[in-house]
Amino acid sequence: MSGKAGLGSDYTLDGTAGQVTIASGQRSGSVTLTAIVDNIKEKNETAIMTLQPGSGYQFATSGGKKKKKSKAPSATLTIAD
């Protein structure tokens, strides 16, 4: 995780930090990010989750065509409280 939002002060994650478990036979896993409502006036902050390459899995490609090696996928969430 990266970005301006802070784990524990601006949001929480379910499960084990830095990991997502994909059960045997499944094609995906999930992580739930929950914003912490603290009633403190702040500018918008972001939390960015970037998937890292590893052994035993591949990042999906679209259209069934071979693609050049690409960057790891990421998701960005803006937290406004």
Side-chain angles (χ1 to χ4, degrees):
M1 295 295 299
S2 61
K4 296 281 185 177
L7 177 60
S9 59
D10 296 307
Y11 65 91
T12 62
L13 294 173
D14 69 338
T16 304
Q19 297 181 10
V20 61
T21 301
I22 301 173
S24 178
Q26 299 299 309
R27 297 177 51 94
S28 64
S30 64
V31 175
T32 302
L33 183 148
T34 304
I36 296 173
V37 180
D38 56 14
N39 296 316
I40 297 172
K41 185 69 175 165
E42 302 173 282
K43 292 182 179 182
N44 288 347
E45 299 171 310
T46 57
I48 303 168
M49 177 180 289
T50 303
L51 306 177
Q52 300 297 323
S55 61
Y57 64 91
Q58 299 175 13
F59 296 127
T61 58
S62 61
K65 298 179 184 177
K66 275 194 162 183
K67 289 188 162 188
K68 293 180 183 175
K69 193 170 186 174
S70 61
K71 294 181 188 175
S74 66
T76 302
L77 173 71
T78 299
I79 300 173
D81 60 0

